[in-house]
PDB file of all heavy atoms in Angstrom:
ATOM      1  N   ALA Y  34      10.521   3.848  17.151  1.00  0.00           N
ATOM      2  CA  ALA Y  34       9.296   4.245  16.485  1.00  0.00           C
ATOM      3  C   ALA Y  34       9.412   5.741  15.955  1.00  0.00           C
ATOM      4  O   ALA Y  34       9.146   6.117  14.873  1.00  0.00           O
ATOM      5  CB  ALA Y  34       8.028   4.055  17.239  1.00  0.00           C
ATOM      6  N   ARG Y  35       9.904   6.549  16.879  1.00  0.00           N
ATOM      7  CA  ARG Y  35      10.184   7.942  16.531  1.00  0.00           C
ATOM      8  C   ARG Y  35      11.176   8.125  15.452  1.00  0.00           C
ATOM      9  O   ARG Y  35      10.996   8.894  14.448  1.00  0.00           O
ATOM     10  CB  ARG Y  35      10.604   8.771  17.714  1.00  0.00           C
ATOM     11  CG  ARG Y  35       9.501   9.110  18.767  1.00  0.00           C
ATOM     12  CD  ARG Y  35       9.920  10.202  19.657  1.00  0.00           C
ATOM     13  NE  ARG Y  35      11.068   9.818  20.468  1.00  0.00           N
ATOM     14  CZ  ARG Y  35      10.959   9.247  21.695  1.00  0.00           C
ATOM     15  NH1 ARG Y  35       9.834   8.934  22.208  1.00  0.00           N
ATOM     16  NH2 ARG Y  35      12.091   8.961  22.357  1.00  0.00           N
ATOM     17  N   THR Y  36      12.294   7.326  15.556  1.00  0.00           N
ATOM     18  CA  THR Y  36      13.286   7.368  14.466  1.00  0.00           C
ATOM     19  C   THR Y  36      12.702   6.942  13.181  1.00  0.00           C
ATOM     20  O   THR Y  36      13.011   7.621  12.148  1.00  0.00           O
ATOM     21  CB  THR Y  36      14.410   6.444  14.930  1.00  0.00           C
ATOM     22  OG1 THR Y  36      15.056   6.889  16.065  1.00  0.00           O
ATOM     23  CG2 THR Y  36      15.486   6.424  13.803  1.00  0.00           C
ATOM     24  N   ARG Y  37      12.007   5.924  13.143  1.00  0.00           N
ATOM     25  CA  ARG Y  37      11.424   5.364  11.888  1.00  0.00           C
ATOM     26  C   ARG Y  37      10.471   6.388  11.272  1.00  0.00           C
ATOM     27  O   ARG Y  37      10.374   6.604  10.031  1.00  0.00           O
ATOM     28  CB  ARG Y  37      10.834   4.032  12.036  1.00  0.00           C
ATOM     29  CG  ARG Y  37      11.836   2.891  12.367  1.00  0.00           C
ATOM     30  CD  ARG Y  37      11.112   1.648  12.825  1.00  0.00           C
ATOM     31  NE  ARG Y  37      10.430   1.001  11.668  1.00  0.00           N
ATOM     32  CZ  ARG Y  37      11.040   0.159  10.887  1.00  0.00           C
ATOM     33  NH1 ARG Y  37      12.266  -0.267  11.068  1.00  0.00           N
ATOM     34  NH2 ARG Y  37      10.296  -0.412   9.884  1.00  0.00           N
ATOM     35  N   ARG Y  38       9.616   7.026  12.132  1.00  0.00           N
ATOM     36  CA  ARG Y  38       8.646   7.993  11.637  1.00  0.00           C
ATOM     37  C   ARG Y  38       9.388   9.183  11.056  1.00  0.00           C
ATOM     38  O   ARG Y  38       9.010   9.778   9.948  1.00  0.00           O
ATOM     39  CB  ARG Y  38       7.748   8.462  12.763  1.00  0.00           C
ATOM     40  CG  ARG Y  38       6.667   7.490  13.128  1.00  0.00           C
ATOM     41  CD  ARG Y  38       5.515   8.152  13.917  1.00  0.00           C
ATOM     42  NE  ARG Y  38       6.127   8.741  15.214  1.00  0.00           N
ATOM     43  CZ  ARG Y  38       6.147   8.117  16.325  1.00  0.00           C
ATOM     44  NH1 ARG Y  38       5.691   6.829  16.452  1.00  0.00           N
ATOM     45  NH2 ARG Y  38       6.619   8.669  17.495  1.00  0.00           N
ATOM     46  N   ALA Y  39      10.461   9.580  11.665  1.00  0.00           N
ATOM     47  CA  ALA Y  39      11.198  10.750  11.190  1.00  0.00           C
ATOM     48  C   ALA Y  39      11.884  10.421   9.893  1.00  0.00           C
ATOM     49  O   ALA Y  39      11.925  11.305   8.935  1.00  0.00           O
ATOM     50  CB  ALA Y  39      12.296  11.179  12.288  1.00  0.00           C
ATOM     51  N   LEU Y  40      12.428   9.245   9.713  1.00  0.00           N
ATOM     52  CA  LEU Y  40      13.036   8.849   8.455  1.00  0.00           C
ATOM     53  C   LEU Y  40      12.049   8.664   7.406  1.00  0.00           C
ATOM     54  O   LEU Y  40      12.344   8.997   6.219  1.00  0.00           O
ATOM     55  CB  LEU Y  40      13.915   7.600   8.678  1.00  0.00           C
ATOM     56  CG  LEU Y  40      15.208   7.757   9.484  1.00  0.00           C
ATOM     57  CD1 LEU Y  40      15.765   6.391   9.771  1.00  0.00           C
ATOM     58  CD2 LEU Y  40      16.147   8.680   8.693  1.00  0.00           C
ATOM     59  N   ARG Y  41      10.879   8.145   7.745  1.00  0.00           N
ATOM     60  CA  ARG Y  41       9.808   8.006   6.685  1.00  0.00           C
ATOM     61  C   ARG Y  41       9.412   9.297   6.253  1.00  0.00           C
ATOM     62  O   ARG Y  41       9.235   9.551   4.969  1.00  0.00           O
ATOM     63  CB  ARG Y  41       8.591   7.217   7.374  1.00  0.00           C
ATOM     64  CG  ARG Y  41       7.453   6.966   6.418  1.00  0.00           C
ATOM     65  CD  ARG Y  41       6.303   6.353   7.163  1.00  0.00           C
ATOM     66  NE  ARG Y  41       5.243   5.965   6.301  1.00  0.00           N
ATOM     67  CZ  ARG Y  41       4.311   6.800   5.909  1.00  0.00           C
ATOM     68  NH1 ARG Y  41       4.279   8.074   6.333  1.00  0.00           N
ATOM     69  NH2 ARG Y  41       3.282   6.383   5.052  1.00  0.00           N
ATOM     70  N   ARG Y  42       9.184  10.343   7.086  1.00  0.00           N
ATOM     71  CA  ARG Y  42       8.764  11.571   6.767  1.00  0.00           C
ATOM     72  C   ARG Y  42       9.885  12.277   5.867  1.00  0.00           C
ATOM     73  O   ARG Y  42       9.555  12.910   4.853  1.00  0.00           O
ATOM     74  CB  ARG Y  42       8.454  12.451   7.926  1.00  0.00           C
ATOM     75  CG  ARG Y  42       7.940  13.831   7.679  1.00  0.00           C
ATOM     76  CD  ARG Y  42       7.353  14.570   8.902  1.00  0.00           C
ATOM     77  NE  ARG Y  42       8.464  14.659   9.940  1.00  0.00           N
ATOM     78  CZ  ARG Y  42       8.502  13.980  11.098  1.00  0.00           C
ATOM     79  NH1 ARG Y  42       7.589  13.023  11.330  1.00  0.00           N
ATOM     80  NH2 ARG Y  42       9.483  14.065  11.931  1.00  0.00           N
ATOM     81  N   ALA Y  43      11.119  12.100   6.241  1.00  0.00           N
ATOM     82  CA  ALA Y  43      12.197  12.753   5.474  1.00  0.00           C
ATOM     83  C   ALA Y  43      12.309  12.123   4.126  1.00  0.00           C
ATOM     84  O   ALA Y  43      12.482  12.859   3.149  1.00  0.00           O
ATOM     85  CB  ALA Y  43      13.559  12.516   6.297  1.00  0.00           C
ATOM     86  N   LEU Y  44      12.163  10.765   4.076  1.00  0.00           N
ATOM     87  CA  LEU Y  44      12.238  10.167   2.630  1.00  0.00           C
ATOM     88  C   LEU Y  44      11.157  10.610   1.774  1.00  0.00           C
ATOM     89  O   LEU Y  44      11.342  10.980   0.639  1.00  0.00           O
ATOM     90  CB  LEU Y  44      12.142   8.636   2.881  1.00  0.00           C
ATOM     91  CG  LEU Y  44      12.203   7.875   1.542  1.00  0.00           C
ATOM     92  CD1 LEU Y  44      13.573   7.766   1.077  1.00  0.00           C
ATOM     93  CD2 LEU Y  44      11.675   6.456   1.788  1.00  0.00           C
ATOM     94  N   ILE Y  45       9.899  10.784   2.345  1.00  0.00           N
ATOM     95  CA  ILE Y  45       8.768  11.230   1.443  1.00  0.00           C
ATOM     96  C   ILE Y  45       9.048  12.663   1.022  1.00  0.00           C
ATOM     97  O   ILE Y  45       8.856  13.028  -0.153  1.00  0.00           O
ATOM     98  CB  ILE Y  45       7.481  11.213   2.304  1.00  0.00           C
ATOM     99  CG1 ILE Y  45       7.097   9.779   2.544  1.00  0.00           C
ATOM    100  CG2 ILE Y  45       6.352  11.896   1.564  1.00  0.00           C
ATOM    101  CD1 ILE Y  45       5.999   9.555   3.571  1.00  0.00           C
ATOM    102  N   GLU Y  46       9.434  13.575   2.015  1.00  0.00           N
ATOM    103  CA  GLU Y  46       9.641  14.987   1.669  1.00  0.00           C
ATOM    104  C   GLU Y  46      10.722  15.124   0.568  1.00  0.00           C
ATOM    105  O   GLU Y  46      10.502  15.854  -0.426  1.00  0.00           O
ATOM    106  CB  GLU Y  46       9.943  15.770   2.863  1.00  0.00           C
ATOM    107  CG  GLU Y  46       8.861  15.905   3.843  1.00  0.00           C
ATOM    108  CD  GLU Y  46       9.215  16.597   5.146  1.00  0.00           C
ATOM    109  OE1 GLU Y  46      10.472  16.976   5.281  1.00  0.00           O
ATOM    110  OE2 GLU Y  46       8.352  16.790   5.959  1.00  0.00           O
ATOM    111  N   LEU Y  47      11.810  14.437   0.809  1.00  0.00           N
ATOM    112  CA  LEU Y  47      12.911  14.585  -0.146  1.00  0.00           C
ATOM    113  C   LEU Y  47      12.595  13.961  -1.530  1.00  0.00           C
ATOM    114  O   LEU Y  47      12.999  14.464  -2.595  1.00  0.00           O
ATOM    115  CB  LEU Y  47      14.244  13.946   0.401  1.00  0.00           C
ATOM    116  CG  LEU Y  47      14.825  14.712   1.590  1.00  0.00           C
ATOM    117  CD1 LEU Y  47      15.888  13.855   2.225  1.00  0.00           C
ATOM    118  CD2 LEU Y  47      15.390  16.015   1.101  1.00  0.00           C
ATOM    119  N   THR Y  48      11.844  12.840  -1.556  1.00  0.00           N
ATOM    120  CA  THR Y  48      11.409  12.252  -2.785  1.00  0.00           C
ATOM    121  C   THR Y  48      10.517  13.208  -3.596  1.00  0.00           C
ATOM    122  O   THR Y  48      10.696  13.366  -4.852  1.00  0.00           O
ATOM    123  CB  THR Y  48      10.731  10.947  -2.527  1.00  0.00           C
ATOM    124  OG1 THR Y  48      11.646   9.973  -1.857  1.00  0.00           O
ATOM    125  CG2 THR Y  48      10.277  10.294  -3.888  1.00  0.00           C
ATOM    126  N   GLU Y  49       9.601  13.817  -2.923  1.00  0.00           N
ATOM    127  CA  GLU Y  49       8.782  14.763  -3.526  1.00  0.00           C
ATOM    128  C   GLU Y  49       9.508  16.011  -4.036  1.00  0.00           C
ATOM    129  O   GLU Y  49       9.266  16.543  -5.173  1.00  0.00           O
ATOM    130  CB  GLU Y  49       7.665  15.297  -2.537  1.00  0.00           C
ATOM    131  CG  GLU Y  49       6.655  14.157  -2.113  1.00  0.00           C
ATOM    132  CD  GLU Y  49       5.626  13.863  -3.145  1.00  0.00           C
ATOM    133  OE1 GLU Y  49       5.778  14.242  -4.293  1.00  0.00           O
ATOM    134  OE2 GLU Y  49       4.552  13.310  -2.650  1.00  0.00           O
ATOM    135  N   GLU Y  50      10.559  16.428  -3.357  1.00  0.00           N
ATOM    136  CA  GLU Y  50      11.264  17.608  -3.768  1.00  0.00           C
ATOM    137  C   GLU Y  50      12.380  17.310  -4.813  1.00  0.00           C
ATOM    138  O   GLU Y  50      12.519  18.101  -5.737  1.00  0.00           O
ATOM    139  CB  GLU Y  50      12.012  18.148  -2.462  1.00  0.00           C
ATOM    140  CG  GLU Y  50      10.975  18.667  -1.496  1.00  0.00           C
ATOM    141  CD  GLU Y  50      11.738  19.021  -0.183  1.00  0.00           C
ATOM    142  OE1 GLU Y  50      12.966  19.198  -0.200  1.00  0.00           O
ATOM    143  OE2 GLU Y  50      10.988  19.317   0.860  1.00  0.00           O
ATOM    144  N   ARG Y  51      13.071  16.231  -4.681  1.00  0.00           N
ATOM    145  CA  ARG Y  51      14.236  15.986  -5.526  1.00  0.00           C
ATOM    146  C   ARG Y  51      14.231  14.680  -6.327  1.00  0.00           C
ATOM    147  O   ARG Y  51      15.059  14.529  -7.234  1.00  0.00           O
ATOM    148  CB  ARG Y  51      15.475  15.955  -4.627  1.00  0.00           C
ATOM    149  CG  ARG Y  51      15.635  17.112  -3.630  1.00  0.00           C
ATOM    150  CD  ARG Y  51      16.967  16.969  -2.849  1.00  0.00           C
ATOM    151  NE  ARG Y  51      16.892  17.898  -1.749  1.00  0.00           N
ATOM    152  CZ  ARG Y  51      17.905  17.873  -0.878  1.00  0.00           C
ATOM    153  NH1 ARG Y  51      19.048  17.039  -1.050  1.00  0.00           N
ATOM    154  NH2 ARG Y  51      17.959  18.735   0.171  1.00  0.00           N
ATOM    155  N   GLY Y  52      13.258  13.800  -5.967  1.00  0.00           N
ATOM    156  CA  GLY Y  52      13.309  12.482  -6.583  1.00  0.00           C
ATOM    157  C   GLY Y  52      14.229  11.572  -5.797  1.00  0.00           C
ATOM    158  O   GLY Y  52      15.164  12.043  -5.075  1.00  0.00           O
ATOM    159  N   LEU Y  53      14.005  10.197  -5.886  1.00  0.00           N
ATOM    160  CA  LEU Y  53      14.819   9.291  -5.074  1.00  0.00           C
ATOM    161  C   LEU Y  53      16.242   9.433  -5.344  1.00  0.00           C
ATOM    162  O   LEU Y  53      17.168   9.140  -4.411  1.00  0.00           O
ATOM    163  CB  LEU Y  53      14.337   7.839  -5.409  1.00  0.00           C
ATOM    164  CG  LEU Y  53      13.087   7.402  -4.616  1.00  0.00           C
ATOM    165  CD1 LEU Y  53      12.661   5.954  -5.100  1.00  0.00           C
ATOM    166  CD2 LEU Y  53      13.398   7.425  -3.083  1.00  0.00           C
ATOM    167  N   ASP Y  54      16.692   9.733  -6.535  1.00  0.00           N
ATOM    168  CA  ASP Y  54      18.074   9.706  -6.868  1.00  0.00           C
ATOM    169  C   ASP Y  54      18.740  11.130  -6.533  1.00  0.00           C
ATOM    170  O   ASP Y  54      19.980  11.351  -6.709  1.00  0.00           O
ATOM    171  CB  ASP Y  54      18.323   9.595  -8.382  1.00  0.00           C
ATOM    172  CG  ASP Y  54      17.903   8.157  -8.772  1.00  0.00           C
ATOM    173  OD1 ASP Y  54      18.001   7.232  -7.995  1.00  0.00           O
ATOM    174  OD2 ASP Y  54      17.468   7.968  -9.906  1.00  0.00           O
ATOM    175  N   GLY Y  55      17.975  12.018  -5.993  1.00  0.00           N
ATOM    176  CA  GLY Y  55      18.478  13.430  -5.755  1.00  0.00           C
ATOM    177  C   GLY Y  55      18.895  13.663  -4.324  1.00  0.00           C
ATOM    178  O   GLY Y  55      19.197  14.850  -3.922  1.00  0.00           O
ATOM    179  N   PHE Y  56      19.027  12.620  -3.422  1.00  0.00           N
ATOM    180  CA  PHE Y  56      19.482  12.869  -2.095  1.00  0.00           C
ATOM    181  C   PHE Y  56      20.208  11.710  -1.526  1.00  0.00           C
ATOM    182  O   PHE Y  56      20.173  10.559  -2.082  1.00  0.00           O
ATOM    183  CB  PHE Y  56      18.274  13.245  -1.211  1.00  0.00           C
ATOM    184  CG  PHE Y  56      17.208  12.253  -1.054  1.00  0.00           C
ATOM    185  CD1 PHE Y  56      17.278  11.277  -0.115  1.00  0.00           C
ATOM    186  CD2 PHE Y  56      16.157  12.231  -2.006  1.00  0.00           C
ATOM    187  CE1 PHE Y  56      16.203  10.285  -0.026  1.00  0.00           C
ATOM    188  CE2 PHE Y  56      15.193  11.268  -1.945  1.00  0.00           C
ATOM    189  CZ  PHE Y  56      15.228  10.311  -0.932  1.00  0.00           C
ATOM    190  N   THR Y  57      20.951  11.913  -0.444  1.00  0.00           N
ATOM    191  CA  THR Y  57      21.814  10.907   0.131  1.00  0.00           C
ATOM    192  C   THR Y  57      21.306  10.610   1.522  1.00  0.00           C
ATOM    193  O   THR Y  57      20.427  11.278   2.053  1.00  0.00           O
ATOM    194  CB  THR Y  57      23.262  11.441   0.189  1.00  0.00           C
ATOM    195  OG1 THR Y  57      23.280  12.566   1.049  1.00  0.00           O
ATOM    196  CG2 THR Y  57      23.746  11.878  -1.169  1.00  0.00           C
ATOM    197  N   VAL Y  58      22.014   9.724   2.126  1.00  0.00           N
ATOM    198  CA  VAL Y  58      21.791   9.333   3.587  1.00  0.00           C
ATOM    199  C   VAL Y  58      22.055  10.582   4.422  1.00  0.00           C
ATOM    200  O   VAL Y  58      21.315  10.865   5.428  1.00  0.00           O
ATOM    201  CB  VAL Y  58      22.663   8.168   4.054  1.00  0.00           C
ATOM    202  CG1 VAL Y  58      22.625   8.023   5.637  1.00  0.00           C
ATOM    203  CG2 VAL Y  58      22.227   6.895   3.352  1.00  0.00           C
ATOM    204  N   ASN Y  59      23.097  11.342   4.144  1.00  0.00           N
ATOM    205  CA  ASN Y  59      23.367  12.619   4.903  1.00  0.00           C
ATOM    206  C   ASN Y  59      22.170  13.546   4.789  1.00  0.00           C
ATOM    207  O   ASN Y  59      21.744  14.140   5.797  1.00  0.00           O
ATOM    208  CB  ASN Y  59      24.532  13.291   4.309  1.00  0.00           C
ATOM    209  CG  ASN Y  59      25.869  12.592   4.754  1.00  0.00           C
ATOM    210  OD1 ASN Y  59      25.866  11.858   5.703  1.00  0.00           O
ATOM    211  ND2 ASN Y  59      26.943  12.855   4.093  1.00  0.00           N
ATOM    212  N   ASP Y  60      21.556  13.639   3.596  1.00  0.00           N
ATOM    213  CA  ASP Y  60      20.329  14.536   3.437  1.00  0.00           C
ATOM    214  C   ASP Y  60      19.216  13.961   4.275  1.00  0.00           C
ATOM    215  O   ASP Y  60      18.489  14.782   4.906  1.00  0.00           O
ATOM    216  CB  ASP Y  60      19.979  14.578   2.001  1.00  0.00           C
ATOM    217  CG  ASP Y  60      21.060  15.210   1.111  1.00  0.00           C
ATOM    218  OD1 ASP Y  60      21.673  16.186   1.610  1.00  0.00           O
ATOM    219  OD2 ASP Y  60      21.228  14.783  -0.031  1.00  0.00           O
TER     220      ASP Y  60
END
Side-chain angles (χ1 to χ4, degrees):
R35 284 197 298 270
T36 296
R37 291 171 70 90
R38 284 197 300 269
L40 287 171
R41 181 184 186 276
R42 183 170 59 251
L44 179 76
I45 290 169
E46 291 176 357
L47 289 169
T48 299
E49 295 281 18
E50 294 171 14
R51 310 181 193 176
L53 277 175
D54 295 330
F56 59 92
T57 65
V58 168
N59 283 341
D60 296 322

